[in-house]
Amino acid sequence: MPKAAVPHRSTSNPAPLAQHQRLALLRQLVNHDDVPLQDRVAALLVLLYAQPLTRIAQLGTDDVLHKDGEVLVRLGNPPSPVPAPFAGMLLDYLGQRPNAMTATNPDARWLFPGRRAGQPMTPETLELRLRRLAFPTQRGRTAAIRHLVLQAPAPVVARMLGYHDDTTAQLAAEAGGTWRHYAPGDHSRSP
């Protein structure tokens, strides 16, 4: 049998984007109308909420809530608010999702419907679409979660974004967060 060379793929986390790079990417996503809205919305979910493509692909239209003029996205509990320019983009996208009006997907409930009837777009397809835009998915996601755990207690971030408490606590410690001694729960009760 001839020798087979199996390429090595590193599983280590790449260095996150700097905050100014993350903000520049967010600005570009808002301002570049030449990029498909579908790709911009997926990239926003990565940069704002540190969501992996596997979870983004599984989001449904019912995970986007529009109540009293506020747009929320259900990633955990409670749903996370969507800031101003991105809320409009998300609502616009809901009204014009691709593959939602075809004979195979007339009642598609997926936020990112796939080509197969009743199936969401695969994470691999989302990754290819973002890679074509030279979007740094993993580095952007790492930057987003690190920024979030520096802004709020890790357990709060974990619940809102659907992460495990231990994961966000570890990320907060690595990022130098000051919320290490935060005790989640109801603090309004007297002892």
Side-chain angles (χ1 to χ4, degrees):
M1 212 103 170
K3 287 187 176 182
V6 178
H8 173 70
R9 184 174 178 190
S10 174
T11 57
S12 65
N13 282 338
L17 295 173
Q19 180 64 359
H20 72 278
Q21 293 172 310
R22 182 174 158 260
L23 294 174
L25 278 173
L26 285 166
R27 246 181 260 109
Q28 287 176 5
L29 292 170
V30 171
N31 297 324
H32 282 273
D33 292 335
D34 55 330
V35 176
L37 187 56
Q38 178 179 31
D39 299 342
R40 293 189 295 154
V41 168
L44 287 170
L45 291 169
V46 171
L47 286 175
L48 288 177
Y49 304 106
Q51 293 301 297
L53 296 177
T54 52
R55 290 206 46 223
I56 291 172
Q58 294 298 314
L59 288 173
T61 55
D62 56 337
D63 291 319
V64 178
L65 311 168
H66 190 202
K67 292 185 199 176
D68 304 324
E70 185 177 23
V71 178
L72 305 164
V73 62
R74 187 183 0 227
L75 304 167
N77 190 15
S80 301
V82 181
F86 311 116
M89 287 174 62
L90 189 55
L91 293 177
D92 288 346
Y93 174 69
L94 275 177
Q96 58 183 346
R97 291 174 304 135
N99 296 334
M101 298 303 189
T102 62
T104 57
N105 270 340
D107 300 318
R109 70 161 205 83
W110 301 106
L111 189 59
F112 296 96
R115 291 187 179 186
R116 292 180 137 180
Q119 297 295 314
M121 186 180 287
T122 65
E124 294 80 18
T125 302
L126 276 171
E127 183 178 7
L128 285 173
R129 293 180 67 93
L130 295 177
R131 190 178 298 156
R132 271 188 241 132
L133 300 172
F135 179 77
T137 307
Q138 185 64 34
R139 293 179 64 216
R141 183 172 159 242
T142 304
I145 192 69
R146 286 189 179 194
H147 177 74
L148 290 168
V149 296
L150 289 174
Q151 300 301 312
V156 173
V157 172
R159 286 188 189 95
M160 287 186 75
L161 301 182
Y163 275 81
H164 192 275
D165 286 350
D166 292 343
T167 303
T168 54
Q170 180 183 353
L171 289 168
E174 289 171 6
T178 57
W179 297 96
R180 279 189 315 222
H181 303 292
Y182 174 80
D186 183 9
H187 299 284
S188 62
R189 294 178 283 142
S190 59

